[in-house]
């Protein structure tokens, strides 16, 4: 049976909304961790930053007023035109030097300019100065002194003789705003009150920093989740197997805590108990048994190899429990331990070890002597591996092995627990002597590359692939195993509640029937 496999390096299909939501569900812990770490980092950075206080002070450019409307409008236009020129004056070192001299600050003009900003609101004659400092009082004083220094500098410029250089104006003694020279000044700057003392820092902004940190962390977490999803090649759902490799999934087995760390029979009771066993695992095994019977109704497989890509994927557990489930339905079943390197079925069924396949193949024992029935189900027998040989592959591929399996298949369905496909070639060799192979895949562990190589190994020897069994399917999540519990049958008459009885006597009831039939008493 050939399979249309997709190369492992083939591009993955584009994600839809459901896929994105599934990525968030799977990696939500990592996303939350990234968000918290980034938020904590932003909080730590905020704590380490010095607190900066800001204070604003304003001045307005005015011209001499007039009772003439035309002159008043012309003065307003002149003030708005001058304020654009004075904005550059307010940002100059000349004003910064005046502030340093007035407040006796221990700083440079360039440093003071770096902590002070000047703005002119659109279509106004106002100039706003914002001073920043680690000390709120200093910020307030600098803002007021800057407006006063600007007023003095503007006055020096406006009163300077024509042709005076800017450097000459800086040497003029600092006049106070509103001095007697104002009468000769066409345009001047008037302060608009005192700056307010800031009570809270404007920087750092704790709320904004924390919000940005959380946003960056969330973005990093989502990016990490998407990258992990793109790089994660593990198989998690049946649709991946059928879509990528064209192999039918004939069974999905849920996680069962009774199988943690060991291979065992889930329900090891009597035949009736095994047949009626409830629970998700028991129902999944019965579904697998049913699907096997419908694989080929004309020539159903009698010898089936159960294998996996790597060890610890649950193939021995699946083999043993599937055999028990098939035997519970009345089938004659023989389980053969075909793992001649690391046999486990003797421990699973708790039978006598040391005798089995190798003894029959080498002619040291007869098949009937080493075939051990399992006590709970008489129609289930187990053939152990026997002594571990030095050449397992040669024995499993021998004609004697083929003849032994043919003999067993005459009266029973034969399930062979084979070694994994990738470490050794034993399972591929066994598949040639069998009617088909079942590949067990462990959810969230087996990768696409491993399954692709395993199926390729079976194809190379012309082995028939019956299907795949998805094992350890989680009981929770988007791709969880769906189990609806026991579908209860209708109650038996003995267990049903009694129907209500008419309070009237039987004779009254017959009278009612007689009236209903036109006075004739019904014959019962």
């Amino acid at each position: 049976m050939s399979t249309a496999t997709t190369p492992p390096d083939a591009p993955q299909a584009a994600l839809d909304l459901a896929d994105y939501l599934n990525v968030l569900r799977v990696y939500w812990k990592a996303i939350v961790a990234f968000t918290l770490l980034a938020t904590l980092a932003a909080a730590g950075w905020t704590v380490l930053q010095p607190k900066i206080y800001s204070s604003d002070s304003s001045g307005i450019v005015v011209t001499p007023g007039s009772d003439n409307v035309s002159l008043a409008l012309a003065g307003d236009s002149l003030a708005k035109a001058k304020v654009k020129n004075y904005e550059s004056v307010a940002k100059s070192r000349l004003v910064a030097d005046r502030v340093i001299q007035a407040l006796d600050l221990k700083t440079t003009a360039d440093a003071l300019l770096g902590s002070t900003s000047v703005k002119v609101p659109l279509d106004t004659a106002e100039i706003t100065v914002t001073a920043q400092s680690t000390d709120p009082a200093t910020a307030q004083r600098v803002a007021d002194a800057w407006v006063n220094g600007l007023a003095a500098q503007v006055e020096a410029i406006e009163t300077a003789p024509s042709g005076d250089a800017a450097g000459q104006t800086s040497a003029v003694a600092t006049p106070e705003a509103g001095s007697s020279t104002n009468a000769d000044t066409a345009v001047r700057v008037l302060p608009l009150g005192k700056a307010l003392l800031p009570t809270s820092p404007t920087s750092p902004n704790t709320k904004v920093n924390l919000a940005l940190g959380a946003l960056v962390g969330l973005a990093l977490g989502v990016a990490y989740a998407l990258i992990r999803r793109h790089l994660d090649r593990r198989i998690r759902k049946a649709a991946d197997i059928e879509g990528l490799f064209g192999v039918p999934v004939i069974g999905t087995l849920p996680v069962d805590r009774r199988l943690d760390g060991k291979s065992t029979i889930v329900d090891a009771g009597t035949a009736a108990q095994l047949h009626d066993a409830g629970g998700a695992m028991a129902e999944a095994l019965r579904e697998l048994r049913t699907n096997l019977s419908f694989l080929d109704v004309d020539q159903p497989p009698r010898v089936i190899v159960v294998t996996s890509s790597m060890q610890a994927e649950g193939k021995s557990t699946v083999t043993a429990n599937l055999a028990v489930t098939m035997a519970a339905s009345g089938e004659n079943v023989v389980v053969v331990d075909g793992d001649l390197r690391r046999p486990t079925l003797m421990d699973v069924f708790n039978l006598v070890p040391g005798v089995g396949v190798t003894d029959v193949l080498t002619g040291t024992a007869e098949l009937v002597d080493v075939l051990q029935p399992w006590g709970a189900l008489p129609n289930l027998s187990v053939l152990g591996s026997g002594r571990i040989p030095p050449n397992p592959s040669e024995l499993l591929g021998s004609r004697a092995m083929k003849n032994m399996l043919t003999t067993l298949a005459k009266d029973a369905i034969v399930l062979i627990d084979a070694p994994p496909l990738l470490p050794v070639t034993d399972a591929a060799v066994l598949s040639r002597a069998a009617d088909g192979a079942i590949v067990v895949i462990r959810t969230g562990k087996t990768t696409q590359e491993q399954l692709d190589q395993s199926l390729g190994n079976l194809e190379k020897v012309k082995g028939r692939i019956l299907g795949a069994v998805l094992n350890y399917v989680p009981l929770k999540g988007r791709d969880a195993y769906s189990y609806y519990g026991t579908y209860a049958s209708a109650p038996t008459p003995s267990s049903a509640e009694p129907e209500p009885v008419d309070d009237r006597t039987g004779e009254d009831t017959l009278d009612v029937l007689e009236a209903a039939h036109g006075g004739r008493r019904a014959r019962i």
Side-chain angles (χ1 to χ4, degrees):
M1 174 181 177
S2 62
T3 57
T5 60
T6 301
D9 56 352
Q12 296 184 350
L15 300 180
D16 56 16
L17 179 59
D19 292 326
Y20 281 112
L21 294 177
N22 188 47
V23 169
L24 297 180
R25 181 190 61 80
V26 173
Y27 298 104
W28 70 268
K29 292 183 179 179
I31 295 174
V32 171
F34 271 99
T35 304
L36 290 178
L37 287 176
T39 304
L40 291 176
W45 181 85
T46 301
V47 171
L48 295 177
Q49 297 303 305
K51 294 182 179 180
I52 304 298
Y53 295 85
S54 298
S55 182
D56 297 333
S57 184
S58 299
I60 188 169
V61 178
V62 297
T63 57
S66 174
D67 295 336
N68 190 303
V69 176
S70 299
L71 292 178
L73 292 175
D76 183 65
S77 299
L78 177 61
K80 291 179 180 179
K82 285 286 187 177
V83 76
K84 296 178 181 178
N85 298 328
Y86 294 153
E87 181 181 6
S88 60
V89 175
K91 297 177 181 178
S92 67
R93 289 186 178 87
L94 297 174
V95 177
D97 289 334
R98 288 178 181 272
V99 174
I100 292 174
Q101 183 180 359
L103 300 180
D104 193 20
L105 299 177
K106 305 300 182 182
T107 185
T108 63
D110 290 335
L112 194 60
L113 285 170
S115 62
T116 306
S117 62
V118 178
K119 293 182 180 179
V120 175
L122 184 64
D123 200 26
T124 66
E126 183 181 347
I127 297 179
T128 302
V129 177
T130 301
Q132 294 182 334
S133 176
T134 55
D135 178 39
T138 300
Q140 179 192 30
R141 293 167 57 209
V142 169
D144 284 334
W146 203 280
V147 174
N148 291 329
L150 174 61
Q153 188 65 40
V154 168
E155 184 175 346
I157 294 173
E158 292 294 333
T159 59
S162 178
D164 243 0
Q168 293 174 322
T169 61
S170 63
V172 178
T174 304
E176 293 296 331
S179 64
S180 60
T181 58
N182 287 344
D184 301 326
T185 303
V187 179
R188 54 198 173 108
V189 176
L190 294 179
L192 296 177
K194 293 288 186 179
L196 296 177
L197 179 68
T199 57
S200 59
T202 56
S203 176
N205 192 321
T206 304
K207 293 182 179 180
V208 172
N209 291 344
L210 292 181
L212 287 176
L215 185 62
V216 171
L218 180 63
L220 290 175
V222 173
Y224 167 82
L226 293 175
I227 293 173
R228 279 289 304 272
R229 193 269 179 190
H230 179 75
L231 298 178
D232 188 2
R233 310 289 288 177
R234 292 174 294 180
I235 297 173
R236 299 187 181 277
K237 52 186 178 181
D240 294 338
I241 304 171
E242 296 174 345
L244 294 174
F245 302 96
V247 175
V249 177
I250 59 176
T252 54
L253 305 180
V255 172
D256 196 313
R257 295 306 174 193
R258 293 172 291 181
L259 302 175
D260 286 350
K262 60 181 178 179
S263 296
T264 185
I265 306 298
V266 175
D267 297 293
T270 64
Q273 290 173 337
L274 289 167
H275 185 73
D276 297 331
M281 176 60 79
E283 184 62 33
L285 288 168
R286 284 193 285 267
E287 182 181 359
L288 174 58
R289 176 191 66 193
T290 302
N291 291 340
L292 274 175
S293 65
F294 283 103
L295 284 177
D296 191 341
V297 293
D298 295 328
Q299 293 181 343
R302 302 285 294 176
V303 180
I304 302 172
V305 172
V306 182
T307 183
S308 61
S309 298
M310 299 295 293
Q311 60 185 15
E313 295 189 54
K315 62 176 183 58
S316 299
T317 302
V318 172
T319 304
N321 284 278
L322 176 60
V324 170
T325 304
M326 296 175 72
S329 66
E331 292 275 4
N332 292 327
V333 182
V334 174
V335 182
V336 177
D337 196 341
D339 194 341
L340 303 185
R341 302 172 190 267
R342 299 180 62 180
T344 58
L345 287 186
M346 286 294 100
D347 295 331
V348 174
F349 287 97
N350 195 24
L351 300 178
V352 178
V355 293
V357 174
T358 56
D359 300 285
V360 176
L361 298 182
T362 57
T364 58
E366 294 294 330
L367 184 59
V368 67
D369 296 329
V370 295
L371 201 60
Q372 302 183 53
W374 192 50
L377 293 170
N379 56 332
L380 172 60
S381 300
V382 183
L383 180 61
S385 63
R387 291 171 292 179
I388 298 178
N391 56 343
S393 298
E394 286 75 9
L395 283 178
L396 294 175
S398 64
R399 183 174 294 275
M401 183 68 180
K402 174 69 174 178
N403 294 336
M404 185 189 72
L405 294 177
T406 302
T407 302
L408 291 173
K410 291 179 179 179
D411 301 318
I413 295 177
V414 181
L415 297 180
I416 308 173
D417 179 31
L421 284 160
L422 296 185
V424 293
T425 61
D426 299 6
V429 171
L430 273 173
S431 66
R432 298 178 59 183
D435 296 328
I438 296 175
V439 182
V440 177
I441 299 166
R442 181 161 183 168
T443 305
K445 182 177 180 181
T446 308
T447 65
Q448 297 177 18
E449 289 80 7
Q450 290 173 343
L451 180 58
D452 182 71
Q453 188 176 349
S454 299
L455 297 177
N457 290 347
L458 291 174
E459 289 181 343
K460 291 176 183 177
V461 297
K462 308 298 182 183
R464 181 187 179 191
I465 303 173
L466 298 177
V469 173
L470 194 59
N471 199 18
Y472 287 95
V473 179
L475 296 174
K476 296 180 181 180
R478 181 171 180 262
D479 301 318
Y481 177 81
S482 299
Y483 175 63
Y484 300 99
T486 304
Y487 186 75
S489 58
T492 58
S494 58
S495 61
E497 295 183 2
E499 296 183 358
V501 180
D502 200 317
D503 292 338
R504 294 171 292 186
T505 62
E507 186 64 27
D508 293 336
T509 304
L510 291 177
D511 292 339
V512 172
L513 291 174
E514 181 178 354
H517 288 82
R520 299 186 300 275
R521 179 162 294 184
R523 297 181 179 271
I524 302 177

